[in-house]
Amino acid sequence: MENSLLHNVYNPDVLSCIANLSNDEVFTPPELANKIIDLLPQELFENPDTRFLDPCCKSGVFLREIAKRLIKGLERQIPDLEKRIEHIFSKQLFGIAITELTSLLSRRSVYCSKYPCSQFSAYQFPENKPQGNIIYQRINHTWKDGKCIYCGTSQNEYDRKPELESYAYQFIHNLDVEKVFKMKFDVIIGNPPYQMSDGGGTGDSAKPIYHLFIENAKKLSPKYLTMIIPSRWMKGGKGLNDFRKTMMNDTRIKTIYDFEDAKECFTGLHIDGGVCFFLWDKDYNGKVDYHFKSLDGSTNHSFRFLKCDYSGTIIRDFRQSSIIRKASVDKTKFQSIVSARNPYGFNADFFNTPESYSTIKIADGEDKTAIKIYGVKGKKGGAKRVFGYIKEDAISKGHETINQYKLFFSKAYMTTSTVPPEIILGTPKTICTETFLMIGSFKTKSEAENCLSYIKTKFFRALLFYNRHSLNISRESFELIPLQDFTSNSDIRWDSSIDRIDKELYSKYGLDKNEINFIESMIRPME
């Protein structure tokens, strides 16, 4: 009875448990690590000369799982297990930890001891290598004008005392890896840190850094590169335009697995836009074997180049491709009438921080010259839409649209939603805070209302949804959507029902039955 009970006790992999913890750094579950390792040619694990590098070790899971495959794969070449382990740990597996704590954790999971020179280590390194082949050295950011010249993070956030972690990751801070390890690597693999605070914008502002790990890895010219990263680089992201263009034109990317819901890879974790992992092969030159899993759980597979003539970003779900291509016949895009961020110069916290606008000329609603300003008061789940009044000479920009009709479109809503929050019809003498993007402006109320009808169509919202990548939208989010004529001379009857307008748009752009059904099944009606 006692043996039976012991046999049935659940004994989880400690790295699986760590991966489920909430943390600034996203740890990789062993199951996911193995799926990523599966992308590599498996004969690599039968070659005693293959060298592997994880430049962003957190738990050591990639190196640990690779070690398991090498121990099995090299059995014929090195029959003696002890010699085989010695060879693998001393000559084939290398890592750079991202913090001192993760260096200890990685050594513990790979070598079975956080002290590689100790008798408890699976392979006892010589005393002159106290870190084994998983290194960590605290380095400092290099500041210029308040930013790190390597990772772009804010000096105010990370210029810290020595006892605090600075997160100056070695691999992207001018570390000459070839000189440190005195070798080249066949495989570079990992799950890099995703972002760091850059001190910009309002509230929490973060700059992506995962692309820097990929760029530096390519500079080392490995045979293979594979990493798991957020998918938002495919559509947008702060400072990612050049990286996206480079990746779209890189025909050495052989395989991509893309998940619209990050929970498919990381249990309980939400990452706007989802995550993906890829295989880059230095000797490959061709199309990408692309696997995409959507929010509804459906999967589709395509074999294609990432770059196409009708979209400036990557089309993740290939079922959208023909719809986007047909909509692209109109070269003038809706984004041409969408404002940049903060159209009138009032930040999103305007109504939350009275002290920030104590010098603003507040007006009374009874004042006929007063300007009505829309914004949001409260934080996150408790935020409510509000308005107030100010004098016109308190406004720093956007004066040309103040006396026009326009629409105020909420800048932030869930990436999984196809229905935006209520859109405000802005009459003359109305403006908004940074909470909204301004659409327009229009000479007449009917033109603004016709534009609002267009926004409510499933056709419009499908193209917007296809191009979203994060909670916050921008002018560029609307670049797939063709602009329409909102006057009475339009070829679309804007005074019809939304369903009728959708049918006219489907007809105008030549959508077939399958394409229409795809839109109708995914995009919810909007009141």
Side-chain angles (χ1 to χ4, degrees):
M1 179 67 176
E2 184 177 354
N3 288 338
S4 175
L5 286 172
L6 289 173
H7 181 74
N8 291 316
V9 168
Y10 175 50
N11 185 24
D13 187 330
V14 67
L15 298 190
S16 293
C17 299
I18 290 171
N20 290 330
L21 295 176
S22 174
N23 198 281
D24 290 339
E25 311 293 353
V26 179
F27 286 82
T28 313
E31 298 81 4
L32 176 59
N34 277 293
K35 289 178 182 178
I36 297 170
I37 296 169
D38 285 342
L39 295 182
L40 296 167
Q42 296 305 293
E43 56 266 26
L44 290 170
F45 305 104
E46 298 174 356
N47 184 347
D49 296 322
T50 306
R51 296 192 182 105
F52 300 84
L53 171 69
D54 180 349
C56 39
C57 285
K58 300 171 186 172
S59 66
V61 65
F62 285 105
L63 296 180
R64 190 191 73 172
E65 297 306 310
I66 290 169
K68 290 179 182 178
R69 298 192 188 208
L70 288 170
I71 288 170
K72 182 177 181 180
L74 296 178
E75 193 169 6
R76 289 185 179 181
Q77 292 96 320
I78 311 176
D80 184 273
L81 177 60
E82 188 172 336
K83 291 182 178 180
R84 192 157 72 245
I85 289 174
E86 176 184 350
H87 177 85
I88 292 167
F89 286 160
S90 64
K91 300 184 183 302
Q92 292 191 269
L93 299 180
F94 301 85
I96 304 172
I98 61 172
T99 66
E100 184 175 7
L101 179 61
T102 62
S103 73
L104 298 174
L105 179 58
S106 296
R107 293 183 201 118
R108 175 64 180 82
S109 61
V110 176
Y111 304 138
C112 302
S113 172
K114 58 185 179 181
Y115 305 112
C117 298
S118 77
Q119 60 179 320
F120 302 107
S121 179
Y123 163 66
Q124 192 170 348
F125 282 85
E127 290 186 2
N128 64 347
K129 296 193 73 173
Q131 295 187 338
N133 283 331
I134 301 176
I135 68 169
Y136 172 76
Q137 178 185 353
R138 182 188 173 98
I139 58 175
N140 296 316
H141 295 279
T142 303
W143 306 115
K144 183 179 180 181
D145 300 326
K147 304 282 185 182
C148 175
I149 64 173
Y150 295 111
C151 68
T153 192
S154 167
Q155 185 173 4
N156 288 336
E157 295 279 342
Y158 293 102
D159 192 3
R160 297 175 166 181
K161 298 177 180 179
E163 61 268 22
L164 298 176
E165 180 59 58
S166 65
Y167 301 103
Y169 303 115
Q170 287 177 273
F171 191 66
I172 61 174
H173 283 74
N174 202 31
L175 175 69
D176 192 333
V177 175
E178 290 186 2
K179 286 186 178 179
V180 171
F181 289 109
K182 299 177 182 178
M183 65 182 68
K184 284 188 171 291
F185 295 95
D186 302 287
V187 177
I188 298 180
I189 187 171
N191 177 10
Y194 295 162
Q195 63 188 31
M196 292 184 72
S197 174
D198 63 359
T202 59
D204 296 329
S205 180
K207 179 186 183 298
I209 59 170
Y210 52 87
H211 62 297
L212 302 177
F213 284 83
I214 294 170
E215 290 169 348
N216 279 15
K218 286 183 180 181
K219 290 176 184 177
L220 295 178
S221 193
K223 291 180 180 178
Y224 302 99
L225 166 63
T226 179
M227 288 189 174
I228 182 165
I229 57 176
S231 295
R232 70 187 65 152
W233 66 270
M234 299 184 186
K235 295 294 183 182
K238 186 182 293 187
L240 293 176
N241 288 346
D242 289 342
F243 174 72
R244 178 169 57 257
K245 289 176 184 177
T246 300
M247 293 287 277
M248 289 176 71
N249 286 285
D250 194 340
T251 54
R252 294 168 292 181
I253 299 175
K254 190 173 185 178
T255 308
I256 292 179
Y257 280 84
D258 185 10
F259 304 87
E260 200 168 13
D261 188 349
K263 293 183 180 66
E264 294 285 345
C265 295
F266 302 105
T267 303
L269 185 66
H270 174 76
I271 298 175
D272 281 335
V275 294
C276 67
F277 54 86
F278 64 90
L279 175 65
W280 179 93
D281 181 339
K282 186 175 70 171
D283 297 324
Y284 181 72
N285 181 22
K287 297 180 179 180
V288 179
D289 187 17
Y290 201 113
H291 303 259
F292 177 78
K293 190 167 186 179
S294 62
L295 289 171
D296 63 8
S298 62
T299 59
N300 66 87
H301 172 250
S302 56
F303 190 63
R304 55 189 167 101
F305 291 109
L306 294 180
K307 184 180 180 181
C308 68
D309 296 332
Y310 46 88
S311 175
T313 61
I314 294 172
I315 299 172
R316 299 172 63 189
D317 188 337
F318 202 61
R319 294 172 296 179
Q320 303 166 0
S321 181
S322 60
I323 299 171
I324 295 170
R325 176 174 53 80
K326 290 178 178 180
S328 71
V329 297
D330 282 351
K331 301 306 179 185
T332 305
K333 301 301 181 184
F334 192 85
Q335 72 178 103
S336 64
I337 65 168
V338 180
S339 72
R341 180 178 66 86
N342 202 354
Y344 297 100
F346 297 96
N347 67 39
D349 282 337
F350 180 79
F351 286 100
N352 287 330
T353 53
E355 65 277 5
S356 69
Y357 60 93
S358 58
T359 60
I360 296 294
K361 297 176 181 178
I362 308 298
D364 192 310
E366 299 297 322
D367 184 350
K368 298 298 182 182
T369 64
I371 304 299
K372 191 175 187 178
I373 179 169
Y374 288 96
V376 167
K377 189 173 184 178
K379 297 291 186 181
K380 295 184 179 179
K384 293 182 179 180
R385 192 166 293 177
V386 295
F387 62 84
Y389 294 91
I390 59 174
K391 294 185 182 295
E392 187 168 350
D393 58 0
I395 302 169
S396 62
K397 60 181 179 177
H399 296 93
E400 67 279 3
T401 68
I402 292 174
N403 292 310
Q404 300 284 318
Y405 287 91
K406 52 264 176 183
L407 300 173
F408 301 139
F409 193 102
S410 182
K411 188 182 71 172
Y413 62 100
M414 291 296 293
T415 55
T416 56
S417 176
T418 62
V419 178
E422 180 187 359
I423 300 159
I424 299 172
L425 175 62
T427 57
K429 293 191 180 300
T430 60
I431 63 169
C432 64
T433 68
E434 187 186 8
T435 303
F436 304 94
L437 296 173
M438 189 275 293
I439 296 173
S441 57
F442 307 99
K443 293 180 180 179
T444 66
K445 183 179 180 181
S446 63
E447 289 179 20
E449 290 174 335
N450 291 343
C451 182
L452 180 56
S453 293
Y454 183 38
I455 292 172
K456 289 182 177 181
T457 64
K458 291 183 177 180
F459 175 81
F460 179 102
R461 290 182 291 115
L463 291 169
L464 176 59
F465 181 71
Y466 297 164
N467 209 38
R468 292 198 61 195
H469 63 88
S470 68
L471 182 70
N472 290 307
I473 61 172
S474 66
R475 179 165 52 192
E476 288 69 28
S477 303
F478 298 84
E479 69 179 359
L480 298 179
I481 306 167
L483 184 63
Q484 307 297 326
D485 179 0
F486 299 117
T487 70
S488 57
N489 297 322
S490 175
D491 55 353
I492 303 295
R493 291 174 292 174
W494 298 112
D495 58 350
S496 304
S497 68
I498 300 302
D499 285 345
R500 179 66 185 176
I501 296 172
D502 257 324
K503 288 177 181 177
E504 291 188 32
L505 291 167
Y506 295 154
S507 176
K508 178 177 179 177
Y509 294 99
L511 271 58
D512 62 31
K513 185 177 180 180
N514 289 335
E515 292 163 339
I516 293 170
N517 287 341
F518 180 62
I519 290 176
E520 294 282 333
S521 66
M522 181 178 292
I523 309 301
R524 290 175 49 211
M526 183 173 173
E527 295 296 331

